[in-house]
Amino acid sequence: MHTRNVNVKTAAQESTGRCDSNLTVAQFMDLFCWVLAATEGEPQPAIFTPPAAATELTLINDDCPDYISVWFIDGRPVAAAMPLDNFHRVISSSQTK
């Protein structure tokens, strides 16, 4: 797993988060919500292990000790999580091909 940690300025003035890519906070949240929608009703693993070849992008909330992550393989999102809340969603391999 590869992790990128680069803080960027965002266009959203109301946002207090930091994203570790050149995505805005709104774009990152759209991606996170897309993964949640794509995994709705899908069985999820009991124990989450990030895919080995995935790159993790993280959005850090400046107002509390929390963050959310989205994992990508070959530019496609494959998983999303709020790790401190033990909330994980993985897109099945049949949907990522």
Side-chain angles (χ1 to χ4, degrees):
M1 179 180 70
H2 311 285
T3 303
R4 294 177 51 197
N5 290 315
V6 180
N7 295 326
V8 297
K9 294 184 180 185
T10 65
Q13 294 297 323
E14 71 280 357
S15 171
T16 59
R18 293 175 290 154
C19 182
D20 63 355
S21 75
N22 52 0
L23 295 174
T24 65
V25 171
Q27 290 170 325
F28 187 94
M29 291 305 299
D30 282 346
L31 246 166
F32 182 81
C33 291
W34 182 87
V35 173
L36 297 185
T39 58
E40 188 174 347
E42 295 289 320
Q44 295 296 311
I47 298 175
F48 176 73
T49 303
T55 298
E56 178 184 9
L57 296 181
T58 301
L59 177 70
I60 300 169
N61 187 337
D62 288 334
D63 291 334
C64 65
D66 203 359
Y67 66 98
I68 60 175
S69 294
V70 177
W71 285 265
F72 296 86
I73 294 178
D74 295 329
R76 288 181 264 181
V78 295
M82 295 186 302
L84 296 179
D85 297 321
N86 200 28
F87 177 83
H88 305 90
R89 291 293 179 260
V90 178
I91 298 175
S92 70
S93 59
S94 64
Q95 291 180 323
T96 59
K97 292 182 181 176

